[in-house]
Amino acid sequence: MRPPLKPLDEALAELLDFAHPLDGVDSISTFDADGRVLAQDLVSALQVPPHDNSAMDGYALRCADLAAGEALLVSQRIPAGSSPEPLAAQTVARLFTGAPLPPGADAVVMQENCQLQENGCVLVNGPVTLGQWIRRSGEDIQRGATILSKGERLTPASLGLAASIGMNQLQVVRCPKVALLSTGDELVMPGEVAPQDMRPGAIYNSNRFVLKALLTRLGCEVTDLGIVPDQRQATIDALAAAAQQHDLILTSGGVSVGEEDHVKPAVQALGQLNLWQIAIKPGKPFAYGQITRDGVTGQGAHFIGLPGNPVSGLVTFLMLVRPFLLRLQGVTQVAPLSIVTTSGFTWSRADTRREFLRARLNAVGALELFPNQSAAVLTSAVWGHGLVDNPPGQTIAPGDTVRFIPFAALLS
């Protein structure tokens, strides 16, 4: 009797237990650090902004100097990047967005609310509030504050934040080295054979393109090892060679239980297999193990085998491989953002496995379901905005509340 399929959450927890953060740090330009993971906290040595400054083009003044109908002389002009003089009594300073506030000023009036007179004085129209349109020193970042923490994955905004405290180089966790290979005698690479010349039973290898792009987005250094023939020894040789210089070997296809599925016994011959078959749909035939280097226990590469159907491979990568690779880089929060929203469809075929249904949001914010949810229909993932995470045994009716995971949260 076969053992029961492992629930996804349990499988993910076990998988992450094997994902010990990689050794090694890269020092790279802040310009090139998008998507990388910080290897140390970033602590600010300065205030941002460094001084009180104007949030508008306009005039700096003392509120106490204002009197109804009385114009004030413009005593100085302050561009951004200049050093102002103290503001003389009964005067205003012409200044521009980002310009430092002159000592003594306590408000800025935008130029649209001022009238410049021929004699060089300015008449302020309307009330002025103490402190208005002033950006205070340190209101964004305080000196000594940790602005980004070790283990954070860098985004364009966080690169800007690092640059704002003067960081031109960042210490980041080294890239995972991933060997990517496909198995299957039916696979053909686009460009090698024209569509009209394809032999019976042959298909183009789409998974190779999907997985390479996903790995690259996660900051991996990818070695594309191509297609391995459906032969036991060829599979063993390919995996053994890949284990020598890679942190992870990722395969597509060959992890089911057919006579031509050689990946499982090949991994077992070279190391050990720890996970096998997950209770999700699509994506049941998922495998995790380790392959030793030169027969040395504890030294080697992680192995993950994904199913060959394109949507199965995509879903298992997003739900399992993505968090695994993030954890290898030291990221602690690896769960994707999900939202609770309303179904606009009917799903009456409850499954014993946890299902991930391709769906998209319509104009009124309800979810529509792609009509063909087959694991082989990659069109559904292009059409959809994300995945409905449907628990085992659950049917869905229009108006029901469902959990939705946007692709935007899974692909960043």
Side-chain angles (χ1 to χ4, degrees):
M1 184 176 178
R2 290 182 183 175
L5 300 177
K6 192 176 291 290
L8 175 59
D9 289 342
E10 185 179 332
L12 179 58
E14 291 186 24
L15 186 65
L16 294 180
D17 283 342
F18 292 109
H20 303 296
L22 298 170
D23 295 326
V25 172
D26 294 331
S27 180
I28 64 174
S29 167
T30 304
F31 275 121
D32 301 324
D34 185 35
R36 301 294 293 272
V37 178
L38 273 178
Q40 63 181 34
D41 293 344
L42 291 191
V43 179
S44 179
L46 74 162
Q47 302 266 99
V48 178
H51 42 65
D52 292 351
N53 67 90
S54 177
M56 291 286 174
D57 292 346
Y59 298 88
L61 49 76
R62 288 187 181 87
C63 290
D65 289 342
L66 289 173
E70 184 175 331
L72 300 173
L73 179 69
V74 178
S75 60
Q76 59 179 308
R77 183 177 184 275
I78 310 171
S82 63
S83 181
E85 299 293 330
L87 184 65
Q90 299 296 316
T91 71
V92 299
R94 173 65 165 145
L95 80 176
F96 303 89
T97 302
L101 200 70
D106 56 22
V108 172
V109 183
M110 67 174 70
Q111 62 188 19
E112 291 86 348
N113 294 337
C114 296
Q115 182 180 347
L116 181 62
Q117 300 179 335
E118 292 182 359
N119 62 359
C121 292
V122 167
L123 182 64
V124 176
N125 300 316
V128 178
T129 304
L130 190 69
Q132 72 177 30
W133 301 122
I134 295 175
R135 296 187 293 214
R136 296 298 182 184
S137 173
E139 73 174 33
D140 188 6
I141 299 171
Q142 294 283 323
R143 183 181 291 107
T146 298
I147 64 163
L148 295 168
S149 299
K150 177 181 178 179
E152 286 192 48
R153 192 159 176 240
L154 294 164
T155 66
S158 55
L159 297 183
L161 200 62
S164 73
I165 66 166
M167 302 297 298
N168 71 319
Q169 293 282 124
L170 295 173
Q171 301 295 306
V172 296
V173 178
R174 73 169 176 86
C175 295
K177 296 179 180 179
V178 181
L180 175 64
L181 57 92
S182 303
T183 65
D185 289 340
E186 76 279 12
L187 297 177
V188 175
M189 282 300 292
E192 293 180 354
V193 180
Q196 65 272 18
D197 297 329
M198 292 279 278
R199 67 182 186 275
I203 58 172
Y204 288 121
N205 186 358
S206 62
N207 287 345
R208 195 162 160 188
F209 294 84
V210 174
L211 298 176
K212 171 67 161 54
L214 289 168
L215 290 167
T216 300
R217 287 190 178 209
L218 287 168
C220 298
E221 183 181 318
V222 184
T223 304
D224 186 349
L225 298 181
I227 301 169
V228 177
D230 278 332
Q231 300 169 12
R232 180 72 54 87
Q233 192 58 49
T235 306
I236 290 174
D237 292 345
L239 294 177
Q244 300 306 309
Q245 296 181 339
H246 296 90
D247 303 301
L248 169 66
I249 303 169
L250 183 66
T251 66
S252 170
V255 294
S256 192
V257 292
E259 293 180 4
E260 297 300 319
D261 293 322
H262 301 296
V263 172
K264 180 181 178 182
V267 174
Q268 291 172 322
L270 296 168
Q272 59 183 345
L273 201 64
N274 302 92
L275 287 174
W276 179 253
Q277 298 199 336
I278 311 299
I280 63 173
K281 182 181 180 180
K284 180 179 73 171
F286 173 90
Y288 170 79
Q290 298 96 31
I291 296 173
T292 61
R293 293 192 184 110
D294 302 321
V296 180
T297 302
Q299 296 185 19
H302 300 282
F303 165 82
I304 293 180
L306 302 180
N309 274 323
V311 182
S312 297
L314 175 65
V315 169
T316 48
F317 185 101
L318 296 176
M319 295 298 109
L320 293 157
V321 182
R322 176 184 178 273
F324 181 82
L325 286 168
L326 291 176
R327 186 60 57 83
L328 279 185
Q329 297 176 77
V331 179
T332 54
Q333 299 299 322
V334 297
L337 173 72
S338 63
I339 60 175
V340 175
T341 189
T342 303
S343 164
F345 61 87
T346 298
W347 184 252
S348 57
R349 305 190 298 271
D351 199 279
T352 57
R353 292 173 286 168
R354 185 169 168 182
E355 298 176 285
F356 290 92
L357 309 172
R358 279 74 70 203
R360 70 179 179 186
L361 291 163
N362 62 23
V364 297
L367 287 170
E368 300 175 351
L369 201 64
F370 193 77
N372 188 341
Q373 292 289 318
S374 167
V377 179
L378 193 55
T379 305
S380 63
V382 176
W383 174 92
H385 296 156
L387 302 170
V388 174
D389 183 356
N390 192 38
Q394 184 72 49
T395 60
I396 302 172
D400 285 353
T401 297
V402 296
R403 180 173 179 250
F404 182 66
I405 308 174
F407 282 134
L410 293 165
L411 299 177
S412 60

